[in-house]
Amino acid sequence: MDRESTTTTQALLDALRWLGYGALALAFALSLYWVWRTSGSHVEKGKVNIDFLWPTYTPQKVRYGEHLAEQYMKENPNVQVNLILTSDPYKKLQIMIAGRTTPDVMWMGIGWQQFGDALMPLDDLAAGDPDIRRETYLPGLWDAELWQGSLRGLPSSGQVGVLYYNKDLFDQAGVPYPSADWTWDDMVRTAKALTRDFDGDGVIDQYGLQLEQVYRYPFVVYAGQFADSEWRTARIDNPVVSAMLEHYRDLIYKDRVMPTPTASAELGMLPMFEAGRVAMHAASGYALESFRKVQFDWDVAMFPWFEFNGQRYRATGLWQEEFCILWNTDIPEEAWKFARWCAGKDMIRWAALDGHIVPGRVDVATSPEYLAPGKRPANMRAFIDSQSFAVPMTPHAWHVRIAAEFDPIWQDFMQSPESNPISAAEAAKRFNTALQRILDEYHAENEPLDAAEARP
Amino acid sequence: MTLNIRSQRFREAASGYLFILPWIAGFLVFILGPMLASLYLSFCRYDPSQVRSGATWIGVANYVKMLTDDENFWPSLRVTFRYSIISIPVQLLAGLTVAILLNQKVRGQRFYRTCFYLPVVLGGVATSLIWMWLFSPSQGLINVGLANLYEALGRDSHLTHILSGSLRAVFGSAEDNPLLPGWTASEEGALNSLILMSLWGVGGSMIVNLAGLQAIPTVFYEAATIDGAGRASRLWHITLPLLSPTIFFNLVMGVIGSFQVFTQGFIMTGGGPKNATRFYVLYTYQNGFEYFKMGYASALAWVLFVIVLVFTLLIVRSSAAWVFYEAQKR
Amino acid sequence: MNRHQVLGIFERIAIHGVLVAAALVMLTPLVWMISTSLKASGHSLSRGIEWLPWEDIYVSDALKTPVIVLGARVRNEEAGNTIEVGIASLRDRRRRTEVSLPEGRFSGEVLEYRVRNVSEADQTAEAFWIPCDQLERRIGPRWSNYSEALVKMRFFSLLANTVAITFLGTLGTVLSCSLVAYGFARFRFPGRETLFMVLLSSMMLPPVVTMIPVYLIFRDLHWIDTLLPLFAPAWLGTNAFNVFLFRQFYMTLPFDLDDAARIDGCSSFRIYWSILLPLSKPVMATVGIFSFTGLWLDFMGPLIYLNSIEKFTLSLGLYIFKGPYTVQWDYLMAATLVVSLPCIVIFFLGQRFFIQGTVLSGLKA
């Protein structure tokens, strides 16, 4: 290569290198510009700013939150609703509380009681409001919003556990659909007819029944609650609970109609039902959105009656979603107005008809447009009728810990007979002891304060 | 003359401080404060879900409780130790082997390297879901594959028994099938399954090793080959000693990382079955963010800090004997 | 061919065998992700393991409509009767097939299939019977899963944030960590070893317990709900892992380099910039790849510091398909694949710098 071309190549390389540096600088400048552009605050001066925390569990859920914010701002031009979205609302809230940057209003769902002390009591505000009273909501829902005796949230959705069932599988097996008044034995008989091992390899391919993990507790407490109404004394250790536990375990190892806890934990239960591999599936209203996309025909039914010693028992879990106001908000009145509007008839009606929630308001839940036929599930009433025997699920601040301590006991109990599991009575006793210990510790550490003293 | 050396020393030290200044600033602003804050909190009762109260000083009560009145402390520490003892050497060896293999001139080298790095990149929620499906005892890919294999070999054949027996010895037994391993669903196999799973992340230490291998001047190999050194001898006398700074790096990071293992236990097994994968840091997390005992969680974290610090110091002290730095020759 | 060459060939075959097997194992999760991302929702968990996204088509006259097969009417040739069975009882979609029922297995001939239209709008569509030969089975990948997932997660609005954070963070990490490591590796100063242990120890406390205090710092800086907390600290060499990695690499370089340069009158900074950095391309690539991947996929930081959806990163966006109880498998897998793609590209490009002997050629130059 002669010298001239070498210099030309060199010059070209240099030019390329400088071009590279230029591009890098440009990218740097652009990125900084972007950071600067996105650093602007949402707070609008001269307007009421409401920080509103909302979960991003599904695309639909995000739309629900955005609709609330936009619609409210349209109706109230002096208000700016700042939507704070997160995939993990409780963790986010915890960090925000620690940083004293709490939102004003937020969505709450299962386990809201762990933040019970951070939520503003709404009793005084509700007292002057004809719409916010016990009768507005489905039975049981109002009580589920109480924390240490005062109202802490305005319910939007009341989710009770029901049995979803795959009608196509029922048709193929030629068994009747569940009735509103069926019993545990009916359920087991039906489930047996629906449990199949198609290829004969000893592994069951289609199960008759599965219960979402959380439902094991309503079944444990079929006879009532975990503890007394004050949550000071554990009430699990009794013969009904033992019998219930025994029947529950039999579903897996004796009746053989239900997957083992590990088998069903593996893949998630919704996909199993959606894939047509389970005929009956106990879950609450949250499953509706997902199931509405499946191709087979399905419906819902109420949980069965459990008969023991000539008595009939029935219970289901109740979870609710609600709008809560954080106690250290600077704008309690504006926050209340917004929360009340979100939980009001118009927005609940919109959310229910748009498929976001199972409405907790009686007026919406029983309206003909909501119960309209031709939509799945046909028996929407099961959600409403089940509320009369629904039990709020573990309404205790330390419910995560309760679940964590129950877990090993549950695993000791839920084993095949060959591995010598503990007896049902022993399990009930251990659950009781564990719960009592936690309740005692909680009360030793957290004596409830008067509202006046507790106000931050 | 002495003055000159002194001023030279001084200038060298000044430059040194100047270069590490960004880190000193960053450490003071973003790291030291939070560390001290958590140290303080470890002597407090602090519930981060309460709007009305802050931290209350309770002295060493958290540390006392941990050692005397916490039935989960020792088991979770044991789980973490078991994980670390197995996973650190396994990871180290795997990372080294893969890197040395892929440092050779094989056709498709880049493709293979990318394959090994891929699982590191496919992060996020989806991966853990995929893993749960792979490990699922009754419907997962691995066990369905094994079942087919046993079928092909014959259920009662000698080979099937050896294979299935050894797999089940390490990874537990499946509930509803006597031949298949139970993986993350079995108490005995869960921890080992997570260790096996962590091997899919070997791409990380692979590229560290690859970068380290590039620093070994090729002249050494050429000289050794001329001297008639075989492959094993070159590996032992050139590659490993010259790679020792990188191996040291991987070892220290392995200790720091594996004692803090958390994610798999949190997402995949939730600490179960029967607390078999309730790692120490998982237990710390549960205390802080689920049971709202941030003070206690801080105390747990500081105990772990001391443990990891001791191990790291031991390794650093020992390194003088086995790590060879070109830059130390001065 | 001599003995050596034969051995060489065997060896090469053995190496490739091992590598191919390992690569297959490594690729399994990816392949399953691709397969799931192309299936219709609800098909991701069909009975058994299906690697390909199959689809049933009802062929009538000129129309081809996708259908869901519910069941079939089968003639049991041994018993001579005709019965109705669920689709799961059939071994495959062939005309003569094996049928498994609780009562036993038999081989039968499919006469008719019971199907329903695939149509999301019409949930209550009635099932109907079609003759056996009007059902076709074909591979029908749902490419629309990709576009739908990207729209639902607002991909492009999140992309800009993620790119900005990753670019600035990676640049800051590579520059600051190499600079700090240079200080630790090539200069003697009092307290060096202690400070280095302090650097290492900053990685030893589980981040769980420092999360809240760190949040307080960024709150006081008014950086909450901005992109700053996610990349700005990286400019101060706070990533101890990468400082350590750079330091280990610098320690392997002979001091003759520095001394020679110093005699030529180079300043310390000049030695770092013009001699050590160009020599440390492999480790720069490594740190770059790690830092890129880490920032691109970071979930915890954005979860804590970002509030508004228009500031979200892609990793937060992925969670829109996974709630606490529901997973939209098809969308989640499609979106994850797209989100991971830049990381794969960066790794593929970064590998260019893993070339043995760079150090040597650097020395000669």
Side-chain angles (χ1 to χ4, degrees):
Chain A
M1 212 185 276
D2 59 300
R3 182 169 293 171
E4 203 165 307
S5 78
T6 319
T7 24
T8 330
T9 325
Q10 194 58 45
L12 239 149
L13 276 175
D14 276 352
L16 268 176
R17 176 182 297 171
W18 284 107
L19 216 64
Y21 286 146
L24 213 62
L26 188 69
F28 185 71
L30 274 176
S31 302
L32 276 185
Y33 165 72
W34 191 258
V35 171
W36 173 78
R37 224 196 77 160
T38 51
S39 294
S41 164
H42 276 276
V43 176
E44 287 213 19
K45 297 233 165 67
K47 281 191 177 184
V48 177
N49 280 274
I50 300 176
D51 285 347
F52 182 36
L53 186 63
W54 189 262
T56 61
Y57 293 153
T58 59
Q60 217 187 356
K61 194 109 199 165
V62 176
R63 277 203 302 282
Y64 182 15
E66 286 179 334
H67 181 81
L68 287 177
E70 281 160 20
Q71 194 65 27
Y72 192 70
M73 287 193 281
K74 213 184 278 170
E75 292 177 21
N76 302 273
N78 67 323
V79 175
Q80 168 75 25
V81 179
N82 303 316
L83 201 57
I84 300 173
L85 287 162
T86 174
S87 58
D88 194 343
Y90 291 165
K91 187 158 184 193
K92 182 103 181 168
L93 178 66
Q94 210 178 335
I95 289 169
M96 291 178 114
I97 288 176
R100 298 289 188 264
T101 53
T102 39
D104 302 299
V105 181
M106 86 172 274
W107 168 96
M108 284 273 187
I110 299 174
W112 67 273
Q113 289 87 354
Q114 50 188 316
F115 294 102
D117 289 339
L119 303 176
M120 189 164 86
L122 305 174
D123 309 72
D124 294 346
L125 291 159
D129 197 322
D131 189 48
I132 309 295
R133 57 205 169 95
R134 186 179 290 268
E135 291 73 35
T136 306
Y137 303 102
L138 294 168
L141 214 49
W142 180 270
D143 289 332
E145 298 297 342
L146 300 181
W147 175 251
Q148 293 179 355
S150 60
L151 185 71
R152 305 287 173 130
L154 301 178
S156 59
S157 167
Q159 307 217 17
V160 292
V162 294
L163 270 179
Y164 292 77
Y165 61 95
N166 182 330
K167 280 182 148 177
D168 287 351
L169 294 182
F170 272 65
D171 290 346
Q172 280 161 25
V175 287
Y177 302 144
S179 70
D181 206 39
W182 67 333
T183 64
W184 186 270
D185 294 339
D186 296 334
M187 180 179 81
V188 173
R189 202 175 316 118
T190 313
K192 273 184 181 162
L194 288 161
T195 302
R196 299 274 175 94
D197 169 17
F198 290 115
D199 45 13
D201 62 354
V203 178
I204 292 172
D205 300 307
Q206 174 186 310
Y207 285 99
L209 177 69
Q210 69 181 0
L211 305 161
E212 292 263 317
Q213 222 188 357
V214 282
Y215 284 89
R216 65 203 198 192
Y217 296 126
F219 278 91
V220 168
V221 292
Y222 232 56
Q225 269 286 15
F226 270 4
D228 65 332
S229 57
E230 297 275 289
W231 280 80
R232 282 186 178 268
T233 315
R235 290 260 170 88
I236 303 179
D237 190 8
N238 68 58
V240 191
V241 171
S242 304
M244 192 59 238
L245 280 169
E246 194 72 60
H247 276 79
Y248 185 97
R249 183 167 59 187
D250 285 349
L251 289 176
I252 298 174
Y253 299 107
K254 201 168 134 220
D255 309 322
R256 300 183 73 87
V257 296
M258 192 161 86
T260 58
T262 45
S264 49
E266 282 162 19
L267 292 159
M269 297 193 172
L270 290 189
M272 291 284 282
F273 183 76
E274 286 170 1
R277 299 182 56 181
V278 168
M280 286 183 276
H281 171 84
S284 70
Y286 83 83
L288 284 171
E289 190 188 326
S290 188
F291 288 174
R292 281 193 169 124
K293 285 190 300 187
V294 301
Q295 303 295 339
F296 55 78
D297 200 4
W298 55 275
D299 206 345
V300 294
M302 288 196 280
F303 279 1
W305 288 101
F306 180 65
E307 285 163 336
F308 179 70
N309 274 354
Q311 293 261 26
R312 274 153 63 97
Y313 301 90
R314 174 144 82 170
T316 183
L318 168 68
W319 293 265
Q320 62 291 345
E321 289 175 76
E322 56 267 299
F323 298 95
C324 298
I325 300 175
L326 274 296
W327 210 338
N328 41 2
T329 175
D330 300 324
I331 42 164
E333 286 82 19
E334 288 294 337
W336 165 258
K337 260 203 241 162
F338 177 57
R340 207 206 149 291
W341 177 84
C342 290
K345 187 178 178 186
D346 289 346
M347 288 327 288
I348 295 297
R349 186 177 151 270
W350 169 82
L353 293 181
D354 222 36
H356 297 290
I357 54 169
V358 178
R361 292 178 65 103
V362 177
D363 46 9
V364 178
T366 55
S367 66
E369 50 181 348
Y370 182 64
L371 296 173
K375 252 191 337 187
R376 285 201 198 118
N379 185 21
M380 202 66 197
R381 277 213 74 92
F383 283 101
I384 297 153
D385 295 340
S386 296
Q387 302 254 359
S388 60
F389 52 87
V391 191
M393 278 322 296
T394 336
H396 194 273
W398 284 3
H399 80 102
V400 182
R401 190 160 162 218
I402 294 173
E405 301 221 358
F406 277 11
D407 231 47
I409 305 172
W410 184 257
Q411 280 160 8
D412 277 337
F413 171 70
M414 288 302 288
Q415 282 181 7
S416 61
E418 301 95 70
S419 11
N420 290 319
I422 57 175
S423 73
E426 170 70 16
K429 207 162 96 196
R430 282 206 213 166
F431 280 132
N432 208 64
T433 318
L435 180 61
Q436 191 61 54
R437 200 179 55 231
I438 297 172
L439 296 183
D440 289 345
E441 194 182 324
Y442 178 77
H443 285 289
E445 284 185 21
N446 297 278
E447 272 314 312
L449 307 177
D450 314 340
E453 198 187 327
R455 178 85 172 88
Chain B
M1 189 69 192
T2 35
L3 201 79
N4 201 1
I5 288 175
R6 246 212 202 142
S7 86
Q8 232 178 359
R9 282 260 164 91
F10 177 78
R11 277 181 52 190
E12 189 183 340
S15 315
Y17 287 124
L18 197 66
F19 281 112
I20 66 165
L21 194 63
W23 171 73
I24 293 181
F27 180 76
L28 292 178
V29 175
F30 296 114
I31 298 173
L32 183 65
M35 282 179 84
L36 291 180
S38 74
L39 183 62
Y40 169 77
L41 284 179
S42 75
F43 296 102
C44 294
R45 191 163 71 209
Y46 173 47
D47 178 347
S49 73
Q50 297 280 0
V51 286
R52 57 166 192 246
S53 60
T56 330
W57 181 268
I58 51 168
V60 292
N62 284 329
Y63 292 94
V64 173
K65 185 187 170 200
M66 191 184 308
L67 296 171
T68 57
D69 183 31
D70 184 351
E71 53 182 17
N72 297 311
F73 173 74
W74 292 111
S76 64
L77 197 58
R78 199 172 315 130
V79 168
T80 292
F81 262 96
R82 265 193 58 195
Y83 179 88
S84 302
I85 287 169
I86 306 174
S87 100
I88 294 170
V90 168
Q91 284 276 0
L92 210 60
L93 210 64
L96 206 57
T97 314
V98 172
I100 290 174
L101 259 177
L102 288 181
N103 198 40
Q104 300 180 7
K105 288 195 178 59
V106 281
R107 191 172 293 210
Q109 185 199 45
R110 272 196 182 195
F111 168 77
Y112 287 126
R113 286 179 180 174
T114 311
C115 286
F116 277 93
Y117 190 66
L118 254 172
V120 182
V121 175
L122 292 174
V125 252
T127 335
S128 49
L129 292 173
I130 294 271
W131 280 108
M132 282 161 157
W133 167 76
L134 279 174
F135 275 139
S136 155
S138 60
Q139 10 227 347
L141 178 72
I142 303 178
N143 271 9
V144 169
L146 280 178
N148 288 338
L149 179 70
Y150 295 157
E151 205 67 51
L153 293 173
R155 268 187 195 220
D156 298 315
S157 76
H158 202 56
L159 208 57
T160 302
H161 275 277
I162 295 174
L163 206 59
S164 132
S166 46
L167 274 177
R168 279 180 299 126
V170 184
F171 299 111
S173 298
E175 247 171 13
D176 43 10
N177 193 313
L179 284 176
L180 297 174
W183 305 112
T184 47
S186 76
E187 198 184 340
E188 304 78 28
L191 194 61
N192 291 339
S193 305
L194 292 189
I195 293 172
L196 180 72
M197 201 184 104
S198 73
L199 282 181
W200 260 260
V202 78
S205 63
M206 172 193 78
I207 61 172
V208 172
N209 282 324
L210 275 177
L213 285 168
Q214 312 317 319
I216 301 176
T218 34
V219 269
F220 287 131
Y221 292 110
E222 285 152 16
T225 317
I226 291 166
D227 290 350
R231 189 171 302 179
S233 145
R234 269 178 287 163
L235 177 72
W236 189 251
H237 293 291
I238 299 172
T239 308
L240 287 183
L242 289 177
L243 198 60
S244 62
T246 309
I247 297 173
F248 172 71
F249 173 84
N250 277 330
L251 181 62
V252 171
M253 290 317 302
V255 168
I256 293 177
S258 64
F259 272 97
Q260 291 188 48
V261 60
F262 162 71
T263 320
Q264 296 97 323
F266 181 56
I267 299 177
M268 284 192 53
T269 54
K274 281 206 211 159
N275 296 342
T277 56
R278 199 193 221 184
F279 296 115
Y280 190 83
V281 174
L282 176 58
Y283 183 53
T284 308
Y285 173 86
Q286 286 174 329
N287 269 291
F289 283 94
E290 288 176 358
Y291 311 162
F292 305 116
K293 294 164 182 278
M294 195 50 94
Y296 191 59
S298 301
L300 286 169
W302 274 91
V303 168
L304 184 73
F305 177 87
V306 172
I307 294 173
V308 179
L309 187 64
V310 168
F311 276 103
T312 310
L313 276 173
L314 285 177
I315 297 170
V316 171
R317 283 285 137 79
S318 79
S319 71
W322 62 275
V323 181
F324 302 98
Y325 293 121
E326 194 70 26
Q328 265 174 349
K329 280 186 185 162
R330 188 150 74 158
Chain C
M1 229 195 275
N2 65 20
R3 201 175 126 256
H4 248 83
Q5 279 170 317
V6 175
L7 271 179
I9 289 173
F10 272 117
E11 190 189 299
R12 229 180 283 161
I13 290 173
I15 288 179
H16 274 283
V18 169
L19 284 176
V20 166
L24 276 181
V25 171
M26 289 291 169
L27 285 180
T28 315
L30 177 78
V31 175
W32 186 255
M33 273 172 111
I34 296 174
S35 147
T36 310
S37 75
L38 292 173
K39 289 177 185 172
S41 68
H43 281 225
S44 47
L45 209 75
S46 43
R47 207 162 66 89
I49 286 160
E50 275 187 356
W51 290 94
L52 293 172
W54 290 103
E55 171 178 72
D56 291 306
I57 304 289
Y58 166 40
V59 192
S60 67
D61 306 335
L63 285 172
K64 287 191 171 191
T65 17
V67 288
I68 295 291
V69 183
L70 304 168
R73 203 168 275 152
V74 190
R75 202 154 65 98
N76 183 346
E77 280 156 350
E78 290 148 43
N81 59 349
T82 301
I83 57 164
E84 212 184 301
V85 296
I87 192 60
S89 317
L90 299 183
R91 165 162 274 216
D92 49 41
R93 237 15 88 73
R94 259 173 283 180
R95 194 185 189 102
R96 314 192 106 271
T97 185
E98 193 171 277
V99 184
S100 325
L101 289 177
E103 302 83 54
R105 280 192 261 188
F106 65 88
S107 122
E109 187 191 353
V110 178
L111 306 173
E112 282 181 309
Y113 283 113
R114 200 160 77 97
V115 300
R116 177 185 292 133
N117 280 334
V118 177
S119 145
E120 305 219 356
D122 188 11
Q123 290 182 356
T124 48
E126 282 300 315
F128 54 95
W129 290 96
I130 60 169
C132 173
D133 51 6
Q134 290 187 2
L135 188 77
E136 244 178 41
R137 196 141 208 255
R138 67 169 189 207
I139 296 168
R142 281 237 190 165
W143 298 106
S144 60
N145 281 347
Y146 281 82
S147 52
E148 284 165 24
L150 295 192
V151 168
K152 275 177 199 260
M153 77 181 281
R154 305 174 200 202
F155 182 81
F156 291 102
S157 108
L158 308 188
L159 183 66
N161 305 325
T162 318
V163 167
I165 292 169
T166 309
F167 177 73
L168 291 172
T170 306
L171 197 64
T173 303
V174 172
L175 291 178
S176 68
C177 291
S178 60
L179 197 70
V180 172
Y182 175 59
F184 274 119
R186 314 288 283 185
F187 297 89
R188 280 168 303 183
F189 51 86
R192 184 177 75 166
E193 304 312 312
T194 318
L195 279 175
F196 192 70
M197 267 323 282
V198 171
L199 174 99
L200 288 186
S201 70
S202 69
M203 291 184 279
M204 296 175 193
L205 195 67
V208 173
V209 294
T210 49
M211 213 180 268
I212 287 175
V214 173
Y215 180 82
L216 300 185
I217 291 174
F218 289 124
R219 178 200 63 183
D220 292 342
L221 290 169
H222 298 285
W223 283 7
I224 302 299
D225 204 23
T226 72
L227 305 182
L228 285 160
L230 305 171
F231 73 86
W235 282 83
L236 291 178
T238 48
N239 194 319
F241 177 92
N242 292 325
V243 175
F244 187 20
L245 189 54
F246 265 117
R247 183 243 188 199
Q248 290 308 94
F249 188 83
Y250 290 148
M251 297 285 275
T252 62
L253 298 179
F255 259 111
D256 310 348
L257 284 171
D258 306 40
D259 294 342
R262 214 157 258 139
I263 288 164
D264 286 350
C266 279
S267 67
S268 296
F269 185 80
R270 179 103 203 153
I271 293 171
Y272 157 75
W273 188 257
S274 308
I275 297 175
L276 293 192
L277 267 195
L279 284 181
S280 51
K281 274 181 188 150
V283 74
M284 272 169 81
T286 306
V287 169
I289 289 168
F290 277 149
S291 161
F292 184 97
T293 315
L295 288 158
W296 192 265
L297 302 176
D298 180 24
F299 169 68
M300 208 37 97
L303 175 78
I304 296 172
Y305 301 116
L306 301 179
N307 291 342
S308 329
I309 198 163
E310 64 271 15
K311 295 173 190 172
F312 275 15
T313 60
L314 291 170
S315 60
L316 280 184
L318 287 178
Y319 270 78
I320 209 169
F321 301 119
K322 186 189 176 294
Y325 310 102
T326 51
V327 181
Q328 290 175 302
W329 288 80
D330 43 351
Y331 290 153
L332 179 64
M333 296 306 162
T336 304
L337 284 168
V338 175
V339 169
S340 310
L341 203 62
C343 297
I344 301 170
V345 172
I346 284 288
F347 177 77
F348 203 77
L349 294 179
Q351 277 190 66
R352 247 163 32 89
F353 299 105
F354 294 146
I355 302 158
Q356 188 140 31
T358 35
V359 174
L360 189 73
S361 54
L363 272 173
K364 278 178 184 161

